[in-house]
Amino acid sequence: MQGYRKGLTNYGDPDFSAFIRGAYARGFGLTEEDLERPIIGIAQTWSELNPCHRNLREVAEAVKRGVWQAGGLPLEFPTISLGEIYLSPTAMLFRNLLSMDTEEMISGQPLDGVVLLGGCDKTLPAQLMGAASAGVPALTVTAGPMIGGRFDGKKLGACSDCRGMWNEFRGGAMDEETLEQVQGELFPSAGHCMVMGTASTMASLTEALGMMLPGLAAIPAVNSRRLRMAEESGRRIVAMVTESLTPERIMTREAFENAIRILMAVGGSTNAVVHLPAIAGRLGVDLPLSLFDDLSRTTPLIANLRPSGAEYLMEDLAEAGGIPAVMKELEPLLNGGAMTATGKTVSENLASVPRAKGWQDVILPREKPLAPEGGIVVLQGSLAPEGAVIKVSASSPDKLTHTGKAVVFASQEDMINRIDDPDLGATAESVFVLQNTGPVGGPGFPEAGFLPIPKKLLEAGVRDIVRVSDARMSGTAGGTTVLHVSPEAAVGGPLALVRDGDEIRLDVPDRKLDLLVDEKEMARRRAEWRPPAPPYRRGYRGLFLEHVLQAPEGCDFDFLQKTTVPREK
Ligand code: FES
């Protein structure tokens, strides 16, 4: 069954249900001819509380043109939107809510296919999770990255420069007037953050997974090519319905391996190490942390993009050929047989893509990469028995093997209250530990892992420190920052037992993160440990704390993963 007769509302009489639905469709101005067409839903996340999605209404109109051209009936519908900067305590708390909204609105409404419109950090993974569970053909069209800002003759990249310049201001190297001028230049257009932060990473990986037309991820939001490709996506989704090209057929284990390779090659966000297992989990595909590390060791970092690289932004990547050019460079490492939304395999898509000649500053040849291994490394050890991650490509090379004494903050509040205390017993060699900021403890797994450098160290010229936490970090941030320590402190992981002055050893080449405290002392501390009181009990937030999985499992809800609870018909 296809079109508006699909999934009838239950009034106890299916014929009546079809009749009344047809009547209401006519009330919308649709004709019988329209209703014979396959219905393509357009899941819209435009919102005035999400500036990264400012252009999505225009994008939706372009998608609709394509759907009409190909013989479909486009119907736009709203879902919740997650604007990273506007949601409290953190947008991540609501990623699973958007995924549930997306899944249920796709499967509860008479849709034959769906185009997912998103962009800001959490929206793309949430929409892919929902579409994967709903199981109808789906295609993503993103808002696209902003163009770069300009200040004092330099290109600005949001939000890497937001953080860098804030540090300059905190350290006294920038005055308030200059900071205000910078604030006005950081976001010069519609679109999501334009460095290789989480939004650009997830757009790139959506393309690498095969769930978006090739070349779209990097095109700036304001470039008309984006609208033309949105129109093409509208045409393509109608064909995908005919071909029954569902997310399950595209997002296979091979496709996820390709996406992880691209994550490593572009120096993408550590947040992808949480989002990819969550999407895969909806399809019963297991992506252990060890797979990320294995692929990282054998994938060169070839995209010279901020924050991992020196200067380039997404607009430069688009000029250099975009993600297809990155994939072409890595082709010998990719699973070429993986199916994509074009109806062709990765190899077939890449057959007509030239290697990125002439732009070798942005996409480097695989033989002469920026770094021989990927940008993200997985750590394990007595402090992180179930794993932790670090973005080496954005870390200080001299801190990747480091032993230092812990300066411990029991919570974000504790950190905010004490970080600039002149009496804080911290030096440039300290290891700054933040507890209780994981999925449960945060609550909601906030991007709090990038601890600010204490003012007294900033004033002394220190520009990086070693940080360890169970939190996440914005993909736009840099610095030597160990994240996602699992199990998190709030569920009794060893991180909860670290005390001021303990020695912590970080050994990135050996993939180790160890707390150098003997087992007898750890047992004593463990016996004393009590879990923090849950901050929420009711509603969605209560549900989140009760059912959220740990970081290595993607922080999805236990009851949404396919292997745990398959979807009922
Ligand atoms: Fe939306 Fe950066 S805040 S992408």
Side-chain angles (χ1 to χ4, degrees):
M1 182 72 71
Q2 139 175 327
Y4 86 108
R5 292 181 195 83
K6 183 178 166 185
L8 290 170
T9 313
N10 185 359
Y11 293 118
D13 177 349
D15 291 338
F16 172 72
S17 296
F19 166 75
I20 196 170
R21 186 175 280 181
Y24 274 91
R26 281 165 179 78
F28 225 114
L30 297 171
T31 63
E32 188 57 33
E33 193 199 20
D34 297 330
L35 297 176
E36 290 305 316
R37 294 164 174 248
I39 298 182
I40 304 300
I42 300 173
Q44 177 60 280
T45 52
W46 179 90
S47 158
E48 286 186 340
L49 284 163
N50 192 345
C52 305
H53 292 191
R54 198 175 95 196
N55 59 334
L56 281 185
R57 291 206 285 197
E58 195 183 12
V59 170
E61 291 309 313
V63 172
K64 285 180 197 172
R65 283 199 299 277
V67 173
W68 280 117
Q69 288 163 10
L73 170 61
L75 295 177
E76 186 179 347
F77 65 96
T79 64
I80 61 167
S81 189
L82 304 178
E84 186 66 28
I85 307 301
Y86 285 86
L87 274 160
S88 174
T90 166
M92 185 63 182
L93 183 65
F94 307 104
R95 184 203 62 180
N96 296 349
L97 184 62
L98 174 55
S99 82
M100 292 165 79
D101 183 356
T102 305
E103 173 185 346
E104 297 303 345
M105 289 305 100
I106 294 173
S107 52
Q109 301 182 108
L111 304 180
D112 299 304
V114 65
V115 176
L116 309 163
L117 303 188
C120 195
D121 294 12
K122 308 301 173 296
T123 54
L124 296 189
Q127 290 182 313
L128 289 178
M129 290 159 74
S133 295
V136 306
L139 188 56
T140 293
V141 178
T142 52
M146 280 182 272
I147 53 170
R150 291 269 189 291
F151 185 76
D152 208 12
K154 283 193 218 105
K155 245 187 200 183
L156 294 179
C159 231
S160 303
D161 283 316
C162 317
R163 292 183 168 77
M165 293 195 171
W166 183 249
N167 262 348
E168 295 303 308
F169 171 68
R170 271 172 49 81
M174 181 182 281
D175 61 33
E176 202 162 345
E177 196 184 329
T178 312
L179 187 74
E180 263 178 35
Q181 287 169 7
V182 170
Q183 196 180 33
E185 303 302 328
L186 281 164
F187 301 97
S189 79
H192 57 72
C193 294
M194 66 298 235
V195 298
M196 188 50 84
T198 304
S200 298
T201 299
M202 291 314 299
S204 303
L205 303 193
T206 302
E207 190 178 316
L209 271 172
M211 289 295 290
M212 184 156 70
L213 292 188
L216 185 56
I219 298 173
V222 294
N223 189 315
S224 65
R225 271 197 292 152
R226 177 159 291 277
L227 296 179
R228 280 174 269 143
M229 281 199 70
E231 188 180 295
E232 191 185 337
S233 301
R235 288 192 293 272
R236 182 60 205 147
I237 186 68
V238 178
M240 288 171 72
V241 170
T242 310
E243 295 160 14
S244 300
L245 191 48
T246 56
E248 195 164 21
R249 288 181 55 202
I250 296 174
M251 291 194 281
T252 57
R253 163 87 180 202
E254 289 71 29
F256 281 107
E257 287 179 2
N258 288 344
I260 295 171
R261 292 257 188 219
I262 299 306
L263 169 66
M264 300 307 170
V266 299
S269 164
T270 47
N271 286 318
V273 182
V274 178
H275 296 318
L276 287 177
I279 301 164
R282 296 297 184 96
L283 295 164
V285 176
D286 184 29
L287 297 184
L289 278 181
S290 56
L291 178 66
F292 285 82
D293 201 59
D294 289 348
L295 296 180
S296 179
R297 285 176 194 261
T298 52
T299 307
L301 172 66
I302 59 169
N304 189 9
L305 300 167
R306 299 185 67 192
S308 296
E311 55 185 308
Y312 295 111
L313 304 175
M314 289 301 277
E315 63 194 46
D316 303 304
L317 178 64
E319 286 305 313
I323 293 303
V326 177
M327 292 179 77
K328 185 72 181 181
E329 206 51 48
L330 285 194
E331 196 172 2
L333 298 175
L334 299 179
N335 296 312
M339 177 51 67
T340 74
T342 61
K344 297 179 185 157
T345 63
V346 167
S347 294
E348 286 168 338
N349 290 340
L350 292 178
S352 57
V353 176
R355 282 186 79 181
K357 270 192 242 114
W359 282 95
Q360 299 293 25
D361 261 5
V362 184
I363 302 170
L364 299 155
R366 59 177 178 266
E367 300 84 4
K368 287 189 191 152
L370 212 56
E373 295 188 10
I376 297 174
V377 157
V378 175
L379 305 167
Q380 239 159 357
S382 60
L383 188 49
E386 288 171 21
V389 301
I390 182 169
K391 189 170 180 176
V392 277
S393 53
S395 300
S396 302
D398 62 322
K399 293 196 181 296
L400 294 177
T401 307
H402 181 90
T403 302
K405 288 196 188 312
V407 173
V408 181
F409 301 101
S411 65
Q412 264 182 282
E413 200 185 357
D414 180 30
M415 188 267 291
I416 292 164
N417 288 338
R418 293 196 296 122
I419 192 83
D420 286 336
D421 184 339
D423 296 330
L424 184 74
T427 70
E429 304 307 311
S430 301
V431 175
F432 292 79
V433 175
L434 178 60
Q435 300 166 324
N436 297 308
T437 41
V440 174
F445 210 9
E447 291 187 341
F450 186 65
L451 278 75
I453 300 170
K455 217 168 186 172
K456 67 174 185 182
L457 296 184
L458 272 175
E459 284 164 357
V462 175
R463 286 296 179 266
D464 194 17
I465 51 177
V466 176
R467 308 160 177 92
V468 175
S469 77
D470 46 11
R472 293 180 304 117
M473 173 176 84
S474 164
T476 61
T480 310
T481 310
V482 177
L483 303 156
H484 313 179
V485 168
S486 298
E488 64 175 304
V491 300
L495 186 71
L497 309 180
V498 184
R499 299 290 175 261
D500 276 334
D502 288 350
E503 287 217 310
I504 292 176
R505 183 172 58 216
L506 169 66
D507 186 343
V508 173
D510 213 19
R511 294 343 196 214
K512 298 289 282 177
L513 181 67
D514 288 308
L515 177 61
L516 307 180
V517 174
D518 67 54
E519 192 37 53
K520 199 168 154 209
E521 172 62 13
M522 287 296 279
R524 189 191 66 74
R525 293 181 192 179
R526 203 170 289 119
E528 276 178 5
W529 179 81
R530 299 287 174 271
Y536 311 126
R537 291 191 186 280
R538 66 176 295 279
Y540 171 78
R541 294 175 188 221
L543 182 87
F544 182 97
L545 293 185
E546 223 170 280
H547 291 282
V548 71
L549 296 166
Q550 289 288 286
E553 298 155 298
C555 294
D556 199 2
F557 292 154
D558 50 9
F559 57 83
L560 290 173
Q561 294 216 312
K562 187 176 178 182
T563 40
T564 323
V565 188
R567 188 177 167 83
E568 298 83 6
K569 291 284 171 211

